[in-house]
Amino acid sequence: MKYIPTGNMMVALPCLRESDAAIENFTFLHMASKGMIDVRGTDEEPLIKPFFEINGEKFAMANLSWSRIGDWIPSFSGTVGTMDSLIIEGIILAPVDERGFGVKISITNMGKERADAGLGLHLCWAKTLHSVNEDKEILGAKHCYRSNWNESYVFDLRLGLPLFSFAPMCVEASNVSEVLAPDMNGLEENENLRLKILRKAALQASETLTLTVFFGLGYEEVAAATSAKEMLRQGWDYEYENTLNWLLQRTYPIKDKKISKIYHENLFFCLFYALGVTLDTEELVSVTSRSSRYYVSAAYWDRDSLLWAFPAILAADKMLAREMLLYVFGRQRRNIGVHSRFIDGTVLEPGFELDELMAPIIALNRYIEATKDNEILEKADLIEGISLILAKLTERKHPEIPLFSTFLQPTDDEIVYPYLTYNNALVWFGLTAIKKLYPGCYKFPAAPEEIKDAIWANCVKEINGKKRFAWSLDLKGNFDVYDEPPGSLLLLPYYGFLEPDHPVYAATAEHIRSADYEYSFAGNPIAEIGCPHAPHPWILSIANSLLCGYEETAFNHLRLTEMDNGIACESVDEKTGECTTGAAFATCAGFLCHAIHSVFEKEKDACQDNDLGSGKARSNNAE
């Protein structure tokens, strides 16, 4: 099944089906529930499904083709069954700054004869899930009732008090032929709730029939109904243009159409699925993915959000990046460095990770370099957060050597040896950044220069006659040779630890990429790196390659990857490029965009340098 996800900061539509334009579910974040609420239909009856009728008989949609308007808004066209003269079209719009989404469908009679046509939406609300990595059904009372607030039906789930409510409103309400909802009398508590909205008309040649329905979301009846009414009052055209302008303002010019498409679809997927606003507290939070299809959805990781998603978010929307940092140093501050957390900052999965401890500092440094917003450095949450990071870092220092241990690797898997080369390079980078951002304000467990010297002295090993970086070591003589895409040794030049032509790095990279390395897929169409966590080429590996000097081969690999219907996933098949693990991986989508953006920015800088050089040469000749 192929899906075309869309959404805004409040509502995500992760399972919009290509086959029949059905919306299987919508999701939203809920702070009191510590995660995501997932509203669903059944396997046989999706939550919302468009349908088309001719002379009262339903026909399947045929010849469906899809596109994304503005690289994000899904749009489809097709025909009614085999009747090529009856053209159907649809747009699924999640307007920015709104609590809800809209579905607009139409049918046009391109034939010469009159057609008695109908079109509508069938809704089936079967269950509601609580999602944080795993899905659990929420047992409560579902309700459907007429409301004076939208002159239609409202749905809500109550656990004593309301948990949430959603409400449809038809733009063409006065011309809708049927709105059929269940009779709630005698309805079993967990029975599916259904709604049918139908509009009919006799279409002459070249006439079009349209149905537009906005779905509002809220805490209870009034909030949901007025959310829909707000979109209706603003009008479809306004919401459409406003959203399109928002997307346009965050685009980045890339001449290569294929790469541009990959970049922008993944950028907007990152913006709307790695971030979201909670329904109950209206706070911006950061998560791995708001898609129910990602296997560890709706939870927070410092590494995923700040090392992978944050750079792309910063390039697209600096104010959003600022708000994200305030969330990290606010709600998430207490448990920075712990494996994973709920969106309220409490511990989900315990276990210390050194790369995650350093991630907030690396993101903050990147933000200051991009914005020069020194005011944020004076905020109490940031000052306290950095003090806490340094205190935790001190606890991980070896008693004699200025290297720092971790319990989990960047894949979140348990270590072989506690001192990772890559992680300690992040410590060096992070402490160098603090020294620059807060000169003389903090006492470090070790000077950055000492850490760098310790890495060179302890983490470089002679292996098969060549000096290379070890992956991890115990500082007692034991080490292992290994690499993994979520925290690769290939990124050492990216973090400025050394130059890419350094012989130790060159030997390390050569080994990792060679057919001799167990998790290299050298010789395959997608010749990137995997690891035991997912033994196929990782999309993060393609991003790593883009960032460390393998642009040409990495772009070739990227062009061959189907991924998750164009959206970044964890790993792909080395031959076909199709998703093998981790569909709908929003923070990975961000890192892929960042890598693409970095390549084109580097090329732009090179062109500018050449232009300046040429100008200088002309000036000298003129003199």
Side-chain angles (χ1 to χ4, degrees), residues 375-441:
E375 181 185 352
I376 195 174
L377 298 174
E378 300 173 8
K379 292 194 172 290
D381 282 351
L382 270 74
I383 294 169
E384 291 178 20
I386 292 172
S387 296
L388 182 60
I389 289 169
L390 291 173
K392 290 185 177 184
L393 187 62
T394 301
E395 294 173 1
R396 309 302 301 194
K397 182 182 174 296
H398 185 274
E400 298 172 0
I401 300 170
L403 293 178
F404 301 82
S405 66
T406 190
F407 177 68
L408 298 174
Q409 301 189 136
T411 50
D412 305 321
D413 297 328
E414 196 171 345
I415 55 168
V416 176
Y417 301 114
Y419 299 93
L420 272 62
T421 303
Y422 165 81
N423 279 359
N424 277 277
L426 295 189
V427 175
W428 163 78
F429 184 92
L431 294 188
T432 302
I434 296 175
K435 190 175 180 180
K436 177 181 64 177
L437 297 173
Y438 295 93
C441 294

Side-chain angles (χ1 to χ4, degrees), residues 555-574:
F555 275 131
N556 288 339
H557 295 157
L558 188 55
R559 289 186 179 93
L560 293 173
T561 56
E562 172 66 14
M563 297 190 288
D564 177 24
N565 202 22
I567 298 297
C569 55
E570 183 178 65
S571 70
V572 296
D573 184 273
E574 54 272 20

Side-chain angles (χ1 to χ4, degrees), residues 294-295 533-536 538 569-572 578-585:
Y294 185 57
Y295 67 96
H533 191 86
H536 294 279
W538 282 51
C569 55
E570 183 178 65
S571 70
V572 296
E578 293 180 353
C579 175
T580 51
T581 62
F585 192 173

